[in-house]
Amino acid sequence: MPDMESQVLQRLPGSGALDRWAIALSGLCLAHCVASVFLLSLLASAGGVLLHPMVHELGLGLAIGLGMFALVRGAREHGYIMPAAVGGLGLGVMAGALAVPHGSAETVYTMLGVAILALGHDLNRRASL
């Protein structure tokens, strides 16, 4: 009789689907960064809402949760640790960006972290094929 953990994992979407969702979330994050810069220059009040620290903290929390779940699950399925390591580096860069004062440096670090995280998810998805 299969254990409870394997039964739960079988009901969840495969790691490839989770990685595709995570890559899409990374794209949305990147779009948020770019849109915030443009909206901030066009509409100071709208840009202020989009640049609120809570938006970034919630986004990072969601990225960490989904990222760790998909990357760790993928590593367990295919046995390669590199995608999880690359994704973890991306999450670390994103978290470090929260420590940088708001401005262009924060945006650059966040976008770099998002790109590295998306690369980790893409590597994870490819390893699962």
Side-chain angles (χ1 to χ4, degrees):
M1 176 174 220
D3 63 345
M4 181 69 125
E5 180 182 353
S6 65
Q7 288 177 350
V8 170
L9 287 177
Q10 287 175 349
R11 290 187 195 142
L12 295 173
S15 63
L18 291 173
D19 287 311
R20 285 190 297 276
W21 275 99
I23 291 168
L25 180 63
S26 295
L28 287 173
C29 180
L30 188 61
H32 163 78
C33 291
V34 173
S36 295
V37 170
F38 285 119
L39 285 175
L40 181 60
S41 32
L42 294 176
L43 305 166
S45 61
V49 170
L50 291 174
L51 292 174
H52 191 277
M54 185 60 75
V55 171
H56 297 126
E57 292 165 8
L58 288 173
L60 180 62
L62 183 60
I64 288 172
L66 182 58
M68 294 308 295
F69 183 77
L71 293 168
V72 169
R73 182 173 178 198
R76 289 180 68 186
E77 287 178 3
H78 52 64
Y80 298 112
I81 195 71
M82 182 60 76
V86 171
L89 175 64
L91 288 170
V93 173
M94 289 170 62
L98 290 178
V100 176
H102 283 302
S104 58
E106 178 197 22
T107 302
V108 169
Y109 283 124
T110 301
M111 290 171 33
L112 178 64
V114 165
I116 294 169
L117 176 60
L119 173 62
H121 282 295
D122 189 50
L123 292 171
N124 198 43
R125 183 188 60 80
R126 289 172 187 241
S128 296
L129 297 177

